[in-house]
Amino acid sequence: MKHLLVFFVLLAALVPGSIDPIRISSLKKQEITVTVKGQVKEPGEVKLAPYSTVQDALDQAGLKEDADLGALNPDTILSDRDVIDIPAKKQEAEMPRISINTADAELLCTIPGIGPKTAEQIVQYREENGLYASLDALMNVKGIGPSKFEKMKPFLKL
């Protein structure tokens, strides 16, 4: 133990200047830097206070209309050098419209609300009366009323 004490005394004598204690508060960062990318108006680095949340970063970067926040927790606390990547909402593939003047019964059955019997009646009506002049003419087919027609309409064309 004496040897260790002598060592520190000699060491203190050889080191010039004074030794100041390290302050813990000086080691803490006053801000953190987070990278925000993807569907934001201003992608890049944002400076935030320590213990800021994902929502704080998004408020600074601004969101685009097609931003999908479904997988993010806005209350997550961020750390320095975190990266937030905001994906775009997935576009649902639009079903192509089917022509009531040219489609066969099998193709008509792919439309929501049209079963085999209704499909056959649509084709039969077209064969007996000629081509449909409007989509509304489908309501002349037995079994297709206003409610059923409204369900089918987004998937139809002439």
Side-chain angles (χ1 to χ4, degrees):
M1 187 73 169
K2 286 183 182 181
H3 292 68
L4 192 57
L5 184 60
V6 170
F7 172 76
F8 280 116
V9 169
L10 288 174
L11 184 62
L14 293 175
V15 175
S18 65
I19 299 176
D20 292 329
I22 297 174
R23 296 193 175 152
I24 301 296
S25 62
S26 68
L27 296 177
K28 288 184 181 178
K29 285 197 161 208
Q30 299 303 315
E31 66 181 9
I32 61 172
T33 303
V34 176
T35 301
V36 184
K37 60 184 183 174
Q39 298 305 308
V40 292
K41 293 177 182 174
E42 297 180 32
E45 291 185 345
V46 294
K47 305 279 186 195
L48 300 165
Y51 305 106
S52 292
T53 63
V54 168
Q55 186 63 55
D56 296 329
L58 296 179
D59 289 345
Q60 276 196 27
L63 292 173
K64 292 184 179 177
E65 286 185 26
D66 62 342
D68 183 5
L69 302 178
L72 290 177
N73 178 355
D75 296 326
T76 301
I77 295 175
L78 297 169
S79 299
D80 193 38
R81 297 285 162 212
D82 276 350
V83 176
I84 304 170
D85 191 1
I86 307 298
K89 290 179 184 172
K90 293 181 180 168
Q91 301 284 331
E92 290 187 26
E94 188 175 312
M95 183 176 165
R97 292 178 177 241
I98 295 173
S99 171
I100 58 174
N101 283 325
T102 60
D104 61 9
E106 185 178 335
L107 184 57
L108 289 169
C109 284
T110 64
I111 298 170
I114 297 181
K117 184 176 179 183
T118 304
E120 285 298 329
Q121 289 177 329
I122 291 171
V123 171
Q124 182 180 358
Y125 184 90
R126 181 178 66 210
E127 290 171 353
E128 292 173 1
N129 300 293
L131 297 177
Y132 292 95
S134 69
L135 291 180
D136 292 338
L138 268 180
M139 288 194 282
N140 295 329
V141 175
K142 185 179 178 188
I144 300 179
S147 175
K148 190 171 191 175
F149 175 71
E150 288 303 318
K151 288 180 188 175
M152 301 179 329
K153 191 176 179 179
F155 306 100
L156 300 173
K157 67 180 183 179
L158 289 179

